[in-house]
Amino acid sequence: MMLRASIDAEPSSTAEDQIADGLKTTRVGDLEDFVAAVVAGDGARSDDARSVLVDRYGTDWMVDASAVIATFEMMTRLADATGARLRPEEPATVKVT
């Protein structure tokens, strides 16, 4: 479901918006590289990706990104530990007499 404002928005085409879109694309790629390295447990790649985030966006931004990764990892572990399923099977049909 989209927000009404998102649906009604006209695509922008100013030079400033194109620069902002390019930065956004770069930022998303940098973040994806960081997440992939951390989740894979690749220390060298994590260090490199962390350095990129700090150099380009600052320490606070990298810490926030790390906190989000940690939160999702924690939620996944909690769900696994409690036996929660992402998509529980359909309950068996029971005939009531």
Side-chain angles (χ1 to χ4, degrees):
M1 179 169 71
M2 295 188 66
L3 298 173
R4 186 180 343 233
S6 299
I7 295 169
D8 295 336
E10 292 292 322
S12 59
S13 61
T14 66
E16 292 170 353
D17 289 335
Q18 290 172 356
I19 291 169
D21 288 344
L23 177 60
K24 181 177 171 183
T25 300
T26 301
R27 187 171 53 225
V28 168
D30 293 340
L31 182 57
E32 287 175 344
D33 292 344
F34 180 59
V35 171
V38 170
V39 171
D42 187 334
R45 265 182 49 210
S46 294
D47 290 345
D48 292 342
R50 184 180 308 108
S51 294
V52 168
L53 291 182
V54 170
D55 292 345
R56 292 185 181 169
Y57 313 108
T59 302
D60 290 344
W61 205 87
M62 186 275 303
V63 169
D64 287 348
S66 299
V68 170
I69 295 169
T71 300
F72 275 95
E73 286 290 311
M74 180 259 323
M75 288 188 288
T76 300
R77 290 177 186 200
L78 284 172
D80 287 346
T82 62
R85 290 170 285 185
L86 180 60
R87 293 183 182 96
E89 295 88 20
E90 294 290 324
T93 305
V94 177
K95 183 177 180 180
V96 179
T97 54

